[in-house]
Amino acid sequence: MIYRGMRGAFVFAALLVGGCQTYQAAMPVQAAATPMDGGWASTDGVFIASFEHGNFTSRFTSTNEILAQGTYSVAGTTVSMQWESVATHQQRAAACTLMSADVVACNQQGGGKFELRRAGGNMPMAATPMAAPAAAGPPPAAPN
């Protein structure tokens, strides 16, 4: 009987000591930089976009008004983009190919093509987000 009681006390003590170990909160993991990170502009001059850590925002070049906001992922030379048009609240997507370090060619889901060229320097997210047209226009940069 004493043996059972001592065994229980040892188990309790072990749990108590284990529970006293310092808890270290997990640090948020930031997405690694990709070839898309930075500032881009549509070749038609309609919008500029800023890509950073898997998120992007596009803006009209003429008014700096936000066109679209979305996410992207890169696997090799393939870029997948999903976004929502701010004007129409429509969800859009495009499959893109990194043609070079400064050129991305995209095919918008449902039809339509657009091309992006790297803008001079890396523009901060707030200054150059990716846009999508408000009506029928180029993809992400100009989604409807």
Side-chain angles (χ1 to χ4, degrees):
M1 177 103 174
I2 295 175
Y3 175 71
R4 286 182 93 188
M6 287 185 62
R7 185 175 67 180
F10 283 123
V11 170
F12 178 73
L15 290 173
L16 185 61
V17 169
C20 290
Q21 297 209 355
T22 304
Y23 172 76
Q24 188 173 18
M27 296 296 290
V29 176
Q30 240 181 16
T34 72
M36 284 301 299
D37 286 2
W40 295 81
S42 64
T43 57
D44 62 5
V46 172
F47 66 92
I48 57 174
S50 180
F51 290 77
E52 184 177 3
H53 303 298
N55 297 297
F56 71 88
T57 301
S58 61
R59 296 179 183 270
F60 284 110
T61 54
S62 60
T63 64
N64 203 35
E65 179 183 1
I66 294 177
L67 293 171
Q69 294 182 313
T71 61
Y72 67 95
S73 61
V74 179
T77 60
T78 301
V79 180
S80 297
M81 296 181 197
Q82 298 80 37
W83 68 92
E84 180 178 316
S85 168
V86 172
T88 65
H89 300 290
Q90 292 180 332
Q91 296 291 320
R92 304 284 181 172
C96 307
T97 302
L98 285 159
M99 306 304 288
S100 71
D102 298 324
V103 177
V104 177
C106 300
N107 292 308
Q108 188 168 314
Q109 190 175 54
K113 296 182 179 199
F114 63 99
E115 191 171 281
L116 303 174
R117 293 203 183 263
R118 189 170 297 281
N122 287 339
M123 301 185 285
M125 190 79 152
T128 55
M130 174 139 178
N144 294 341

